[in-house]
Amino acid sequence: MSASSHVLELSEPVPLTMELLRAAVALRPARHGEVPRLEVRVRHLSPDPRQLARYREVCDFPADGYLPLTFPQVMATSLHLSVLNRPEFPYRLLGMIHVRNQIRQYRRLAENASLSVHVWVEGQREVRQGIEVDLHTRMEQDGVPVWSAVTTMLRRLRGADKRRHEERPAGATSTATEEDVLFAHSRPARWSVSEDTGRRYARASGDYNPIHLNALTAIPFGFPRAIAHGMWTVGRCVAEMGEAAEASALTLSSEFRRPLLLPSRVVFQTTALKGGGVAYRVKSEDGQPHVIGRLSPGAEAES
């Protein structure tokens, strides 16, 4: 492991459980500052076959020789925490909320692909709920970009708008009525999401955040029961979309609206979009949205 300026070079990712422990005990100054450019790189990273098998099982992806569109996000999670745990990062990681995610896949990746991974964060923006930061991930194979993502995190600040984080994130444009019109002719599928989903996904992803494990560990954080990992919900939706998610180049955009309590019964919907692509959402049986997004063909390189 070496560090040059704000660039951290790792021979392999730090175990995610260690990064979660660091996040739990980290202290931050009372006065928050600007987010500097912080980077971490791993030159050679290949999927763990056992982790991939567990991920496919919990999200219902087939074993087809390729990485699911969302799996590289799991591979990079420890590196995300390595960046956000840096002492130069001015906000405590615990309490930050994942509000949006955009994934670009430039070509399908073989399940044994050897990748280089670059993760960075720089800058912030004020929103009514607090401060948002974008965490960038870029993966290359033989020097060619093959996958990238922007993970948007929200840090609520004292005195910021007190709206619940499951409401629409800042910058979203469509209204609930427009969304209902969009999905009016879709054929809904009803899912039963079991109480152990958070624990099963934790074994697949390494993310043992206590809010996902059981009611006893979630209640101290303000939840009446454990909640599903947001990226489990997205992965499960992508798996359900079948061939549409098996194209070579894809862009997947997702917004997280409200926590999905475990166990739950939810409704999954998709609808074809003009010009290609599929819009999707997961909502509760009473109509409240948990996740909404779209899967589009093609992927333009991130600037």
Side-chain angles (χ1 to χ4, degrees):
M1 178 177 69
S2 65
S4 174
S5 181
H6 293 310
V7 181
L8 183 65
E9 297 276 356
L10 299 175
S11 58
E12 60 184 13
V14 177
L16 188 54
T17 51
M18 291 182 60
E19 291 290 7
L20 287 169
L21 180 60
R22 286 179 59 201
V25 301
L27 298 176
R28 290 291 185 266
R31 178 176 296 178
H32 302 302
E34 280 292 320
V35 177
R37 185 175 178 92
L38 303 171
E39 306 175 57
V40 61
R41 291 192 182 98
V42 173
R43 300 294 182 181
H44 302 285
L45 181 64
S46 294
D48 179 330
R50 290 174 298 179
Q51 181 185 39
L52 177 58
R54 289 192 291 266
Y55 182 83
R56 284 169 168 159
E57 189 275 331
V58 72
C59 294
D60 203 26
F61 282 104
D64 60 0
Y66 293 97
L67 296 183
L69 173 64
T70 46
F71 186 73
Q73 180 95 13
V74 173
M75 295 174 62
T77 299
S78 176
L79 301 178
H80 294 167
L81 269 62
S82 291
V83 167
L84 299 179
N85 275 332
R86 295 281 294 275
E88 301 95 336
F89 187 74
Y91 304 105
R92 195 160 183 247
L93 177 56
L94 290 188
M96 295 196 77
I97 302 163
H98 189 181
V99 291
R100 289 189 300 282
N101 207 82
Q102 184 175 72
I103 289 172
R104 296 179 176 94
Q105 175 183 276
Y106 307 111
R107 68 171 188 241
R108 294 197 80 185
L109 298 174
E111 61 184 14
N112 61 351
S114 177
L115 305 166
S116 64
V117 188
H118 180 198
V119 173
W120 73 95
V121 65
E122 182 177 21
Q124 61 190 32
R125 58 185 170 273
E126 293 186 10
V127 296
R128 286 199 293 172
Q129 302 98 321
I131 295 293
E132 283 187 354
V133 298
D134 289 333
L135 191 60
H136 300 261
T137 306
R138 179 186 297 156
M139 296 190 177
E140 296 183 353
Q141 188 174 38
D142 300 324
V144 177
V146 290
W147 190 96
S148 67
V150 179
T151 302
T152 301
M153 307 293 292
L154 169 70
R155 180 68 191 184
R156 280 217 186 92
L157 298 180
R158 185 173 299 175
D161 189 340
K162 301 299 184 183
R163 293 185 309 164
R164 293 176 61 84
H165 72 264
E166 60 263 27
E167 294 181 2
R168 175 173 298 279
T173 56
S174 59
T175 67
T177 300
E178 290 171 341
E179 288 170 6
D180 289 338
V181 170
L182 178 64
F183 290 98
H185 301 293
S186 70
R187 184 173 299 174
R190 298 187 182 275
W191 297 347
S192 292
V193 186
S194 63
E195 185 274 338
D196 67 347
T197 297
R199 296 189 294 277
R200 292 170 59 221
Y201 189 77
R203 288 192 290 271
S205 66
D207 183 356
Y208 284 90
N209 188 320
I211 64 176
H212 302 302
L213 303 182
N214 57 58
L216 288 177
T217 57
I219 286 172
F221 295 90
F223 298 100
R225 307 195 299 274
I227 65 172
H229 298 71
M231 288 306 296
W232 172 82
T233 310
V234 171
R236 181 69 186 86
C237 292
V238 172
E240 192 74 9
M241 286 187 270
E243 290 184 1
E246 295 172 1
S248 181
L250 290 166
T251 298
L252 176 71
S253 301
S254 307
E255 297 179 4
F256 301 99
R257 296 291 182 77
R258 61 178 295 175
L260 198 166
L261 296 171
L262 300 172
S264 281
R265 288 184 58 82
V266 299
V267 177
F268 170 70
Q269 295 174 281
T270 61
T271 187
L273 296 170
K274 293 181 179 179
V278 177
Y280 79 91
R281 74 173 174 181
V282 174
K283 65 178 183 176
S284 63
E285 289 189 312
D286 65 5
Q288 296 297 314
H290 294 293
V291 177
I292 186 165
R294 62 179 58 204
L295 179 69
S296 306
E300 295 184 3
E302 183 186 351
S303 58

